[in-house]
């Protein structure tokens, strides 16, 4: 159990780190493996964003692919952005 929880914490941290690098905002400050990604102009569409749910079953390769896709999504769609000062 501890090993799986450790892996889940690590992969979640990797995704949150990538989001910070890209300047993608998320209300997730706890490191919980459900990550909300709000759209910048949520009032203009029916959906307000989307969520990712990570598990310890995800491989490192899948997490790195997700991190790549997040970069592509950030370029293509208007996501809520974090202020530059909050990017660490």
């Amino acid at each position: 159990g501890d090993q799986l929880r450790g892996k889940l914490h690590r992969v979640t941290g990797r995704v949150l780190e990538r989001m910070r690098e890209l300047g993608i905002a998320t209300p997730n400050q706890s490191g919980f493996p459900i990550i909300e990604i709000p759209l910048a102009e949520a009032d203009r569409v029916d959906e307000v964003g989307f969520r990712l749910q990570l598990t310890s079953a995800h491989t490192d390769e899948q997490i790195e692919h997700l991190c790549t896709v997040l970069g592509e999504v950030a370029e293509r769609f208007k996501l809520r952005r974090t202020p530059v000062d909050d990017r660490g």
Side-chain angles (χ1 to χ4, degrees), residues 10-11 17 25 33 40 43 45 49 51 56-57 59 62 68 76 84:
R10 181 177 56 79
V11 299
E17 174 187 338
D43 56 333
V45 294
R51 289 185 178 165
S56 60
T59 65
Q62 290 170 327
T68 299
R76 185 170 181 190
V84 174

Side-chain angles (χ1 to χ4, degrees), residues 8-9 16 18 26 32 34 52 54 64 69 78-79 81 88:
L8 182 56
H9 179 74
L16 290 171
R18 180 64 176 147
T26 182
F32 196 70
I34 298 176
L52 306 173
L54 305 173
E64 287 309 312
V69 170
K78 291 187 178 195
L79 304 176
R81 299 301 185 141

